[in-house]
Amino acid sequence: MKRVLLSAAGILACTAIFAQGRTDFPMKPEMTEIWDPQISVITPGETPSNAPSDAIVLFDGQNLSTEWTNNDGTEPGWNVADGCATVKKGAGVIKTKRQFNDFQLHIEWRSPVEVIGESQGRGNSGVFLQGIYEVQVLDNFNNRTYRNGQAGSLYKQHPPLVNACKGPGVWQVYDIIYTAPRFNPNGTFFTPPTVTVLHNGVLVQNHVALRGPTEYIGIPEYSVKPHGAGPIVLQDHGNPVSFRNIWIREL
Ligand code: MG
């Protein structure tokens, strides 16, 4: 109870400080200590890539149909073998059955070991946040393409800060922190969607704001149809890109 009172006093003190920018009474350390509510305790995974205890596992390498469907709601048409799911050309996108707003997403991907094609034609797939905002997946290991379309880009909107690609056939990691947009009544963003991406543990997108849904052609529109929660969608771009160890934490 004493701590609760201290925390309440601390909040009041902080409010006064932030409001005025100064205090006209002597501050004590505990006045800026906030104790409640207590931070939730979770068990981290054995390695940073393993799902923590409060994550929803979207794909464990075995069963894709528990959490995913084709775009039309039928069983996902991708190939599942050797602990991963691989794009089956022509089968189309797969999407999560669940819908998400703000989240932390961990996803591992691997471009084909056999290098075929160049630029956007090599190991192309994508992770669509809420189904409409693409984090590009591409084999950019010794493969030049336009900077705002390479691996780790928010496609056609934000190039990655660096190229952190590993080679073809090597597993790579995206850790994506996403904050969904909030909308004005007229359909414009009150706050746009924002995205932070770590590629193989390296920061490649630092809390960037999106203009609108990903567009292959043309300028993304600020004015979009307001939307609520949406699925994670993985792209079929015709290249046999593989995915594994997909988990998400709703924020
Ligand atoms: Mg793509």
Side-chain angles (χ1 to χ4, degrees):
M1 190 59 190
K2 185 182 176 187
R3 282 176 176 171
V4 172
L5 291 172
L6 283 175
S7 71
I11 292 168
L12 286 172
C14 288
T15 304
I17 293 164
F18 291 136
Q20 300 174 17
R22 61 180 175 79
T23 61
D24 47 14
F25 53 86
M27 289 288 290
K28 295 178 180 176
E30 57 269 28
M31 293 173 105
T32 46
E33 294 174 0
I34 299 172
W35 285 76
D36 296 298
Q38 189 175 346
I39 303 292
S40 299
V41 177
I42 59 114
T43 306
E46 290 181 14
T47 71
S49 65
N50 287 349
S53 62
D54 63 343
I56 298 167
V57 175
L58 293 175
F59 178 56
D60 63 359
Q62 305 298 320
N63 187 343
L64 198 58
S65 58
T66 303
E67 295 284 346
W68 300 79
T69 67
N70 282 333
N71 197 42
D72 61 4
T74 58
E75 290 274 307
W78 292 15
N79 297 313
V80 178
D82 302 324
C84 62
T86 302
V87 174
K88 186 176 180 182
K89 184 176 181 179
V93 305
I94 60 169
K95 64 181 182 183
T96 55
K97 295 177 183 177
R98 298 177 198 251
Q99 312 277 308
F100 302 99
N101 282 302
D102 306 341
F103 56 79
Q104 172 189 355
L105 174 69
H106 176 96
I107 185 164
E108 301 181 13
W109 59 273
R110 182 184 65 187
S111 60
V113 67
E114 184 183 3
V115 174
I116 299 173
E118 59 182 2
S119 188
Q120 294 286 307
R122 182 184 301 180
N124 193 332
S125 183
V127 182
F128 283 79
L129 317 176
Q130 293 195 307
I132 51 178
Y133 309 103
E134 183 185 14
V135 178
Q136 174 71 302
V137 168
L138 196 69
D139 174 11
N140 278 120
F141 189 81
N142 294 328
N143 178 34
R144 183 93 194 271
T145 191
Y146 41 92
R147 55 185 275 112
N148 61 345
Q150 72 177 58
S153 65
L154 274 305
Y155 185 75
K156 293 278 183 78
Q157 298 194 40
H158 293 283
L161 294 170
V162 293
N163 179 344
C165 278
K166 296 182 179 179
V170 179
W171 284 104
Q172 310 199 43
V173 182
Y174 280 164
D175 289 290
I176 299 170
I177 297 97
Y178 176 75
T179 302
R182 273 62 171 171
F183 292 94
N184 292 310
N186 67 359
T188 57
F189 288 141
F190 176 69
T191 55
T194 57
V195 189
T196 294
V197 180
L198 289 96
H199 182 187
N200 297 324
V202 177
L203 185 72
V204 294
Q205 298 289 349
N206 187 8
H207 194 65
V208 296
L210 292 171
R211 288 179 60 99
T214 297
E215 297 285 356
Y216 178 49
I217 299 170
I219 307 298
E221 296 290 340
Y222 281 106
S223 182
V224 298
K225 189 178 178 193
H227 62 80
I232 305 298
V233 173
L234 302 180
Q235 185 183 44
D236 168 14
H237 203 279
N239 303 141
V241 176
S242 300
F243 294 89
R244 72 175 186 187
N245 193 17
I246 309 172
W247 52 261
I248 194 165
R249 296 178 64 247
E250 296 180 286
L251 303 177

